[in-house]
Amino acid sequence: MSERQGSSGRQVSVQQVLQEDGSVFSIQWSVIPSPPGNRLAPGEVLADYLLFLRRVTGSLVRPLAVEGGVEFRLLGTRLSLLSFRGPLPGEESGVPRVALLICGGFLVQRAVCDRGELEIACEPVDGGTRVSLRLADYCPLLLGSRQPGPFRKWLYRLTQAAIHRVVTVRFLVWLFRSRVGSRVPHRVVKVRVAPGEEI
């Protein structure tokens, strides 16, 4: 299924794969109701996501603005789990986006700590805004190398990958609810956007 399919109605579309080069690709999206004159903007969604991340993790992960970027710090420590440059606004095929570029952190393999990005895109569609969160070219420490063994894949799948998926899905459901003003049932739908081994 293409990235543009499966994005209608009350659902969250998801994919998480380990690509041939050992990097992780993950995407989640949903259509959020918004009138034409009040479309969601990527910067606004990013700000909401960072606040939501802190709240949903019970402040275990604390996004913090630093000079030139953002850090996801552990509790009240100075340990950065993930460090980013940005946010950097942009546009692709007329769709506004904002990106945080990975530049380090405890959860990244040191040899490739300057690779990867977290991107939020907001595409106007019928009935609202298609909000997507995409993590690309990310090389997690848990995978160890570009050729991780079965145990490392299993460990990453059950921990970091599962947490990322739960948080992003819950965020998109919360974003929908915050615009509608009431709880709306959602279903999670697996899609196929990028090639790779399903996580």
Side-chain angles (χ1 to χ4, degrees):
M1 183 178 289
S2 72
E3 182 177 346
R4 291 179 178 273
Q5 290 177 305
S7 61
S8 62
R10 298 168 183 175
Q11 66 185 43
V12 179
S13 301
V14 304
Q15 185 190 27
Q16 289 178 302
V17 295
L18 178 64
Q19 300 191 299
E20 287 186 4
D21 63 357
S23 68
V24 169
F25 175 89
S26 176
I27 189 167
Q28 296 80 27
W29 77 77
S30 188
V31 174
I32 311 300
S34 54
N38 189 27
R39 299 291 194 189
L40 287 164
E44 172 189 357
V45 175
L46 175 60
D48 285 344
Y49 175 72
L50 297 179
L51 289 173
F52 182 84
L53 180 62
R54 178 170 181 149
R55 185 168 69 247
V56 79
T57 62
S59 293
L60 181 65
V61 178
R62 298 185 178 184
L64 180 69
V66 297
E67 184 176 356
V70 175
E71 291 184 350
F72 290 178
R73 291 189 179 177
L74 179 65
L75 278 174
T77 71
R78 297 183 63 85
L79 175 63
S80 175
L81 300 174
L82 289 171
S83 299
F84 304 90
R85 293 193 305 274
L88 304 175
E91 187 175 293
E92 183 177 325
S93 301
V95 178
R97 304 167 185 268
V98 64
L100 291 173
L101 307 182
I102 297 173
C103 61
F106 178 75
L107 296 179
V108 184
Q109 296 172 33
R110 288 189 179 183
V112 281
C113 64
D114 60 347
R115 180 181 175 187
E117 69 175 14
L118 175 64
E119 180 190 78
I120 292 175
C122 293
E123 178 182 4
V125 295
D126 290 341
T129 304
R130 181 178 178 268
V131 175
S132 63
L133 287 82
R134 182 178 67 92
L135 180 66
D137 298 322
Y138 171 50
C139 299
L141 177 66
L142 283 177
L143 291 179
S145 70
R146 294 193 174 188
Q147 295 181 319
F151 175 75
R152 284 188 175 272
K153 291 179 184 179
W154 173 83
L155 184 62
Y156 177 74
R157 180 181 293 115
L158 291 185
T159 56
Q160 199 175 341
I163 292 169
H164 177 72
R165 172 176 165 149
V166 167
V167 169
T168 52
V169 167
R170 287 183 62 181
F171 170 69
L172 289 169
V173 172
W174 172 84
L175 192 62
F176 190 107
R177 187 167 66 241
S178 71
R179 304 292 288 195
V180 173
S182 62
R183 290 183 178 274
V184 179
H186 280 70
R187 60 192 179 99
V188 175
V189 179
K190 287 188 176 182
V191 294
R192 187 72 175 173
V193 177
E197 177 184 348
E198 292 290 335
I199 297 176

